Amino acid sequence: MDKYDQILLRELLANGRASFAELARKVNLSAPAVAERVAKLESSGVITGYQAQVDLSKIGLPIQCVIELRLAQHGNQKAYDDLTQIPQILECYRVTGDSCVFMRAAVGSMPELEVLIDKVARLGFSKTSIVLSSAIEPRVPLEQLSR
Amino acid sequence: MDKYDQILLRELLANGRASFAELARKVNLSAPAVAERVAKLESSGVITGYQAQVDLSKIGLPIQCVIELRLAQHGNQKAYDDLTQIPQILECYRVTGDSCVFMRAAVGSMPELEVLIDKVARLGFSKTSIVLSSAIEPRVPLEQLSR
DNA sequence: AATGAAAACCACTACGG
DNA sequence: CCGTAGTGGTTTTCATT
């Protein structure tokens, strides 16, 4: 993970569809050299994939929320499986502290939100906060890179 | 946003670097037709970009946390600007409820986490939970698409 | 591990349906 | 709005350094 790889990572975070030729111009290497480096970043697991970023409000999901959940039975794998099955949940993290799970979800309407909350609440005590705005869209810090 | 667009979106969420030719084979359209549709999804704001997905633990950031923050002075734009300047914060949402802000962050070590918490705590009352595992990696539900 | 060259592939444009 | 065809750029492989 030298300086070239760092620049490539930064560029692919900013534009995941950048061509190898484009990337090659940024780092002053040949396209084959860049392709090989990116392939290595992928096979070593640093880059796990590429994803289009979608404006949720433009696909009928204008309401976002954060849900904290304290599971009724702690360490219950089935509960996580149940949560995974709910498509409205965008992210889901098991955490330390008195909440067991943090989630972010998106729904199309308040009735849908109500259904979602009911579904989640079956698994334990939940607390839902509506997202008003996001100050930071999902990003990755590359300042202090190691390895 | 017809059935073709839905498939294209789904494919670009799964593989943001898929070529137009590849996408064309999935939807049984010609490559130029696909390129035009994708360009339209981009210009209409449905697709806001493409991003490489990175394994944070592989770039020296093995510890993730969720931070709830109750701002000392509510409705303080400067506080959000301050948070934006902290590179370790990956996502940041202003929400309703008694926490004002929800964040997810990644750090390289416990001392770094301590520094981060101190920085955030200057802005109000904060509560930090360490992420143990993630049941759902950032995804987008495309089941019930509208518009 | 990078370069340069060649073949295969892909993207873009224009035109026609 | 889609398909076909032509052109130019890009990816990929391979031999070379």
Side-chain angles (χ1 to χ4, degrees), chain A residues 12-13 16-18 46 48-53 55 86-87 89 91-92 94-96 130 132-133 135 139 143, chain B residues 12-13 16-18 46 48-53 55 86-87 89-92 94-96 130 132-133 135 139 143:
Chain A
L12 286 171
L13 283 165
R17 277 182 83 77
V46 175
T48 59
Y50 303 88
Q51 205 176 35
Q53 296 168 285
D55 184 335
I86 303 175
I89 299 178
E91 307 177 75
C92 177
R94 184 174 174 190
V95 298
T96 65
I130 304 291
L132 299 169
S133 62
R139 70 179 180 189
E143 271 78 293
Chain B
L12 286 171
L13 283 165
R17 278 181 82 77
V46 174
T48 59
Y50 303 88
Q51 205 175 36
Q53 295 169 285
D55 183 335
I86 302 175
I89 299 177
L90 311 175
E91 308 177 73
C92 177
R94 184 175 175 187
V95 299
T96 63
I130 305 289
L132 299 170
S133 63
R139 70 179 181 188
E143 272 77 295

Side-chain angles (χ1 to χ4, degrees), chain B residues 4 28-30 32-33 36-37 40:
Chain B
Y4 289 124
N28 289 318
L29 285 177
S30 67
E36 196 180 342
R37 279 174 174 272
K40 214 161 273 179

Side-chain angles (χ1 to χ4, degrees), chain B residues 1 7 11 19 26 28 39-40 42 51 55 61 68-69 85 88 101 107 111 119 124 134 142-143:
Chain B
M1 178 72 93
I7 298 175
E11 293 298 326
S19 69
K26 301 265 184 181
N28 289 318
K40 214 161 273 179
E42 292 168 357
Q51 205 175 36
D55 183 335
L61 300 168
E68 293 177 70
L69 173 65
Q85 299 306 314
Q88 286 86 0
V101 184
V107 295
K119 221 182 277 186
S134 57
L142 291 181
E143 272 77 295

Side-chain angles (χ1 to χ4, degrees), chain A residues 79-101:
Chain A
Y80 296 107
D81 294 343
D82 289 350
L83 291 173
T84 306
Q85 298 306 313
I86 303 175
Q88 286 86 358
I89 299 178
L90 312 176
E91 307 177 75
C92 177
Y93 302 99
R94 184 174 174 190
V95 298
T96 65
D98 52 34
S99 295
C100 306
V101 184

